Amino acid sequence: MKITERLKKPGKLFSFEFYPPKTEQDEERLFETVKDLKSLKPDFISITNSSTGATPYRTVDLSGSIKEKLGLEVMAHLTCIGHTRVEIKAIAERLKVLGIENVLALRGDIHNIDGHKAKREYHYASELAADLKAMGGFAIGGAGYPEKHPDAPDFDSDIRALKTKTAAGIDFIITQLFFENRFYFDFMEKALKAGVSAPIIPGLMPLTSYKQLQGFDKFSVFLPQIIKDGVEKYAEDKDSLLKFSVEYASRQAEDLLKNGAPGVHFYTLNRSKATKEILNNLEHK
Ligand code: FAD
């Protein structure tokens, strides 16, 4: 089912994000994780894509095989910065052959390109969204940034870019993760004021290791002191850290759902335990 159709139905939407593993053994483990989370009846799962343009078919093939083998709805992430228009057309056609009807249209991070060359046929996700729309047959998602995209000079221009993106064909938005809900609610208000009417699904990630604390600055994601203290306190105690993070994210999700969010997208980092416990804690399902 297209996510756009699902969003018209009653009930909150839940989705889980995974990344394509590099080894066969890791892929087997991923299938076990997805199978485990299937019992929670997610509305869809999503598979990330590298922005270099080097391995798009890893995402495409994994999306197809999860849909076929596990019978789950899948949204394939598609980045454009490392691709030509001809390449994007071929990838989109392959997705259609595999029955994938949902795509998250992204620019991709330029600094991830490393040794690979940005192909410079695409500059922004809105251009990819327009091409996918013209091809037809996809429900198209896009990324949103409650704390502003790090490259944007100011919030207003980022919101204008979001508006351009929806005008180009983005049907729904999934947000960058955040740890304080005020960012999501302010973002919703700004988007609505700018005329963005697409549903905005908040993205949440429970932190399950001390290592994950690093690098949030790069993404312009604010880390509240309570999170820093909790993760530092339980750095050597995985069970207590999991409990702390699950409690924090459960409270966050409950408040978002109670106050109008259409659902929650979970960044799982290919693990099931934390997401499973959070969903089991929720009353507003
Ligand atoms: P855009 O919407 O193109 O925006 C990029 C920047 O350009 C913003 O600062 C925006 O304000 C600005 N901008 C946009 N349009 C214009 C315009 N017309 N004029 C001037 N400025 C403009 N990355 C991956 O590599 N693989 C993934 O699988 C992946 N999945 C993601 C999933 C989610 C839910 C999210 C939130 C992000 C994901 N990302 C992924 C990260 C994303 O690729 C990066 O954040 C990237 O830097 C921006 O992508 P975008 O699609 O938001 O770009």
Side-chain angles (χ1 to χ4, degrees):
M1 184 196 283
K2 288 197 175 121
I3 295 166
T4 39
E5 292 307 311
R6 170 59 188 89
L7 282 163
K8 286 181 201 151
K9 296 190 175 201
K12 302 292 186 185
L13 171 153
F14 294 98
S15 53
F16 308 139
E17 180 171 313
F18 302 94
Y19 59 85
K22 290 206 171 96
T23 66
E24 242 170 64
Q25 201 186 11
D26 285 348
E27 184 157 323
E28 269 168 39
R29 211 172 301 143
L30 176 68
F31 266 84
E32 288 313 307
T33 305
V34 180
K35 252 189 227 162
D36 190 32
L37 286 171
K38 191 183 167 183
S39 60
L40 298 168
K41 299 193 173 67
D43 291 287
F44 67 93
I45 63 131
S46 84
I47 307 290
T48 67
N49 197 344
S50 140
S51 64
T52 63
T55 54
Y57 289 97
R58 208 190 268 165
T59 298
V60 170
D61 294 343
L62 183 60
S63 299
S65 88
I66 288 180
K67 179 153 182 160
E68 189 199 341
K69 293 188 183 139
L70 301 181
L72 284 163
E73 202 51 67
V74 180
M75 174 177 76
H77 296 210
L78 181 54
T79 56
C80 60
I81 192 82
H83 288 296
T84 62
R85 288 205 143 81
V86 170
E87 286 168 358
I88 288 291
K89 194 154 190 288
I91 296 167
E93 272 163 11
R94 178 80 188 135
L95 284 169
K96 281 189 185 174
V97 168
L98 296 174
I100 305 297
E101 299 179 297
N102 300 292
V103 174
L104 190 67
L106 299 151
R107 183 193 69 178
D109 272 327
I110 293 166
H111 59 81
N112 279 350
I113 294 279
D114 297 329
H116 302 268
K117 269 207 168 107
K119 303 261 167 91
R120 291 293 167 203
E121 286 197 18
Y122 290 97
H123 306 88
Y124 300 114
S126 53
E127 296 155 354
L128 172 61
D131 281 358
L132 292 171
K133 198 78 185 172
M135 285 175 219
F138 293 115
I140 308 167
Y145 302 85
E147 296 175 63
K148 185 182 87 56
H149 185 268
D151 297 352
D154 53 62
F155 225 125
D156 284 350
S157 59
D158 206 26
I159 295 285
R160 276 198 300 278
L162 190 71
K163 174 82 170 100
T164 305
K165 203 149 69 167
T166 50
I170 295 285
D171 300 306
F172 59 93
I173 293 152
I174 301 185
T175 78
Q176 177 63 286
L177 60 99
F178 54 89
F179 294 100
E180 287 195 357
N181 290 354
R182 64 189 168 95
F183 292 117
Y184 173 80
F185 295 126
D186 288 353
F187 179 62
M188 290 290 291
E189 211 177 295
K190 285 193 178 99
L192 211 59
K193 246 191 215 160
V196 174
S197 56
I200 302 183
I201 303 163
L204 293 187
M205 186 177 99
L207 292 179
T208 50
S209 85
Y210 180 73
K211 234 176 31 203
Q212 291 162 357
L213 268 191
Q214 321 305 319
F216 279 106
D217 287 351
K218 194 173 75 188
F219 298 114
S220 302
V221 171
F222 173 70
L223 269 174
Q225 196 58 42
I226 183 170
I227 288 275
K228 285 188 200 157
D229 291 347
V231 175
E232 270 162 25
K233 181 171 170 193
Y234 301 123
E236 304 296 330
D237 176 357
K238 279 206 161 240
D239 289 345
S240 299
L241 177 56
L242 184 84
K243 190 164 176 275
F244 167 79
S245 292
V246 163
E247 275 172 17
Y248 189 92
S250 303
R251 270 201 304 275
Q252 233 194 317
E254 193 68 53
D255 179 53
L256 289 163
L257 296 170
K258 213 166 54 188
N259 289 294
V264 178
H265 180 74
F266 288 97
Y267 294 95
T268 70
L269 300 181
N270 288 10
R271 304 197 189 281
S272 58
K273 203 163 180 213
T275 307
K276 219 169 163 180
E277 290 188 14
I278 295 164
L279 268 186
N280 285 332
N281 283 343
L282 296 180
E283 282 171 25
H284 281 82
K285 281 195 249 185

